[in-house]
Amino acid sequence: MVYGGLAMTGTIEGNAGHTGSLPPGPRLPRAAQVLMRLWRFAEFSDGGHARYGDTFTVRLGSLTGVLTRDREAIRRLFTGDPLVKRHGNDLLRTLVGEQSLLMLEPPEHLARRKLLLPPFHGERVQSYARLMEGLVSSELDRLRQGDTVAMQPVAQSLTLEVILQAVLGISDPLLRRRLRGIFDAFNTPLNAFALFVPALTRRSRLNVLSRRPWRLKAELDALLFGHIAASREDERLSEREDILAMMLSARDEHGVGLTDEQLRDELITLIAAGHETTATAIAWGVELLAHNPAIMRKARESDDTYLEALVKEILRIRSPIPIGGVRYLLEPFAIGAWTIPTSVAVVVDGYGVHHDPTVYREPHEFRPERFLQEPPDSYSFLPFGGGAHRCLGASLALLEIKVVLRELLTQLDFAPTSPTVARAVPRGPTLAPRGGARIRVVGRRAPTPAAATTAAAV
Ligand code: HEM
């Protein structure tokens, strides 16, 4: 997984030296290409495509890569996993740890995924819908007619809470509050910088900047080890429905389970990979619905099938992560007329595929129906990447976005605070709506169950 622009500036590892041929690409200085990549991804992708075609070379910091929207190449890249391609997640190493799924190479990666996958299956995650409804209701209860509110932070608080309860199974509110505090602190630009560029901040006079994030990381480790130990001892572990409980009882074919270090790294991975991404998708959903009242009306009148199409359309037109994965090549790889050498990373241009008029008719139109009428194939819908590294939490995220939007549409009438849909700007690891999806609450539609109970009691 490569979130936002972070891993794009990573150094290239792997067996460089194979000869091959690189397609042409923009001649902008490397630093300018990084900025374009971060602040104007759509223009960067569309501009390069118009000038050079489906695949072009990009130079981002110290990384040379090719950005491709060639679906045939994407299919081969994803089906060739895990044997010939490697992930592009190195910059996340300090935060998530050496033992995280994100850092593993084949064959360990595949073996770990087999252990982790069962609790993330579509049917299994449906059981979390009730928990999500309760949490979103209590957030929305606080909003009153006339309020103006940025929905991104509301969604972020919600998605973190869902992970702490449904994934980690933390019932102690105090522990949840402490973990929230740590993740909020990680989100400040300075801490994030120190964490993602550890070599730089440790070596230099910037060292002082990096002390706080390291202290936070140590505190996080201690809290998680404590929670894992308590869960191992928990007499009611077999009755628990959270994902950690299932991870604790998972065994590989030799009967071996995950160690405490492996579990700690996976828990941090799930929190880091799962909450801001989902919150950004929800924020885009709110932003797009607020500006499209006809679709808002239709979503209110329709069933779950339409809502599911709506969620997919949100993820298509504004993917929180506009690239569908990065793979470092372990063998030369053919794309069109080019043979990409092993020293180069292939970056899947999810945005480019999602806005290709030969794949999606009128791609800049926000139209959920397209997912009902002509559902795309797996290499044309890439918000969750693909192949061996495809997002583990995709089903959980799809459910959560649907539940939150459904509750919002049921409980509130809302309107946008700006005349047009916001521009995408970097936010943590994602590209999010500028201004945080600010809406005005026009009215409350129905009392929430919680509000109705209180009213009845008075
Ligand atoms: C809308 C929300 C989300 C988006 C857009 C998203 C997107 C992605 C993307 C693009 C990748 C990289 C795939 C690749 O390289 O092929 C990924 C990987 C991953 N995601 Fe998500 N994600 C979301 C939510 C979640 C959630 C809720 C969780 C878990 C609670 C999660 C856990 C992971 C993990 C563990 C990986 C690494 C898989 C591997 O390397 O094997 N994600 N995600």
Side-chain angles (χ1 to χ4, degrees):
M1 166 182 52
V2 176
Y3 280 164
L6 292 172
M8 302 291 294
T9 54
T11 49
I12 303 164
E13 290 168 52
N15 37 349
H18 274 284
T19 48
S21 49
L22 281 179
R27 286 172 183 275
L28 289 171
R30 285 171 183 269
Q33 293 196 37
V34 172
L35 287 178
M36 282 292 285
R37 156 72 186 82
L38 283 174
W39 286 92
R40 290 267 192 259
F41 187 80
E43 290 87 338
F44 185 60
S45 164
D46 284 340
H49 177 250
R51 183 137 191 218
Y52 307 106
D54 281 353
T55 306
F56 57 95
T57 299
V58 292
R59 294 190 170 79
L60 303 161
S62 58
L63 175 81
T64 298
V66 291
L67 188 65
T68 187
R69 51 172 86 181
D70 177 330
R71 281 183 306 134
E72 211 281 313
I74 294 171
R75 184 188 62 74
R76 277 185 293 115
L77 194 68
F78 284 159
T79 49
D81 276 352
L83 297 176
V84 296
K85 312 297 174 312
R86 191 173 158 288
H87 65 76
N89 299 331
D90 290 313
L91 281 187
L92 297 170
R93 193 177 297 271
T94 329
L95 175 65
V96 298
E98 294 292 338
Q99 299 290 323
S100 156
L101 179 69
L102 288 170
M103 295 304 141
L104 298 182
E105 305 283 350
E108 283 79 19
H109 174 259
L110 198 62
R112 180 71 62 80
R113 259 186 91 104
K114 272 197 197 144
L115 270 183
L116 296 180
L117 212 53
F120 286 99
H121 270 147
E123 278 164 34
R124 184 68 201 75
V125 302
Q126 292 301 320
S127 65
Y128 300 122
R130 181 70 52 92
L131 167 73
M132 292 169 182
E133 279 161 15
L135 291 172
V136 67
S137 269
S138 54
E139 286 285 344
L140 297 181
D141 266 357
R142 298 193 202 132
L143 300 180
R144 294 287 164 264
Q145 184 171 353
D147 285 353
T148 298
V149 57
M151 287 303 287
Q152 172 107 26
V154 176
Q156 187 142 339
S157 148
L158 201 75
T159 53
L160 183 54
E161 197 60 26
V162 167
I163 293 200
L164 295 178
Q165 295 197 31
V167 178
L168 278 75
I170 302 178
S171 50
D172 174 5
L174 199 68
L175 177 55
R176 290 205 301 268
R177 203 171 325 138
R178 288 178 73 188
L179 287 169
R180 270 174 171 282
I182 292 177
F183 273 88
D184 285 348
F186 277 147
N187 269 338
T188 64
L190 217 58
N191 285 343
F193 177 74
L195 211 60
F196 287 116
V197 198
L200 182 67
T201 46
R202 270 179 175 169
R203 236 188 287 125
S204 69
R205 272 182 291 146
L206 293 170
N207 191 12
V208 61
L209 296 182
S210 66
R211 261 183 235 142
R212 182 161 155 71
W214 294 112
R215 263 206 317 268
L216 287 170
K217 170 78 168 103
E219 195 188 337
L220 175 64
D221 287 352
L223 291 176
L224 290 178
F225 279 137
H227 178 57
I228 292 166
S231 298
R232 283 198 196 279
E233 302 282 291
D234 189 350
E235 283 167 7
R236 304 180 60 189
L237 185 66
S238 59
E239 293 158 38
R240 270 173 46 179
E241 297 210 319
D242 54 272
I243 287 176
L244 171 62
M246 282 177 261
M247 282 160 60
L248 280 166
S249 52
R251 297 286 177 271
D252 67 13
E253 64 269 32
H254 310 293
V256 180
L258 293 162
T259 65
D260 283 3
E261 281 75 19
Q262 289 169 335
L263 285 164
R264 174 206 54 190
D265 288 359
E266 296 305 9
L267 294 182
I268 298 178
T269 301
L270 295 172
I271 303 174
H275 85 286
E276 193 148 13
T277 44
T278 313
T280 294
I282 292 169
W284 276 122
V286 173
E287 179 78 13
L288 289 160
L289 283 171
H291 286 90
N292 289 278
I295 293 179
M296 180 147 43
R297 257 194 314 279
K298 183 144 188 208
R300 285 202 172 107
E301 290 158 5
S302 306
D303 58 7
D304 253 24
T305 318
Y306 184 82
L307 272 183
E308 279 156 20
L310 169 70
V311 172
K312 289 186 182 150
E313 177 67 345
I314 293 163
L315 290 167
R316 177 194 74 82
I317 201 161
R318 290 289 186 278
S319 297
I321 301 176
I323 50 178
V326 172
R327 301 292 186 270
Y328 292 121
L329 299 175
L330 302 182
E331 291 174 0
F333 186 75
I335 307 185
W338 316 100
T339 304
I340 313 300
T342 52
S343 51
V344 168
V346 177
V347 184
V348 173
D349 186 358
Y351 163 87
V353 174
H354 291 171
H355 291 82
D356 179 343
T358 66
V359 183
Y360 293 98
R361 244 177 289 159
E362 294 161 349
H364 293 279
E365 296 280 304
F366 179 53
R367 207 166 55 214
E369 288 76 9
R370 67 172 87 242
F371 280 90
L372 300 172
Q373 292 151 359
E374 29 188 348
D377 64 66
S378 357
Y379 305 106
S380 305
F381 183 61
L382 303 165
F384 298 111
H389 281 278
R390 184 176 186 270
C391 177
L392 199 68
S395 299
L396 190 67
L398 288 169
L399 175 72
E400 194 169 352
I401 303 164
K402 182 176 78 174
V403 168
V404 174
L405 293 182
R406 189 177 55 206
E407 291 300 309
L408 191 74
L409 288 166
T410 315
Q411 296 187 27
L412 298 182
D413 273 324
F414 57 96
T417 57
S418 63
T420 51
V421 173
R423 219 163 64 65
V425 292
R427 185 188 156 102
T430 67
L431 287 185
R434 185 183 189 157
R438 189 166 280 278
I439 52 167
R440 190 166 45 79
V441 179
V442 177
R444 294 206 65 101
R445 293 177 72 78
T448 60
T453 322
T454 322
V458 174

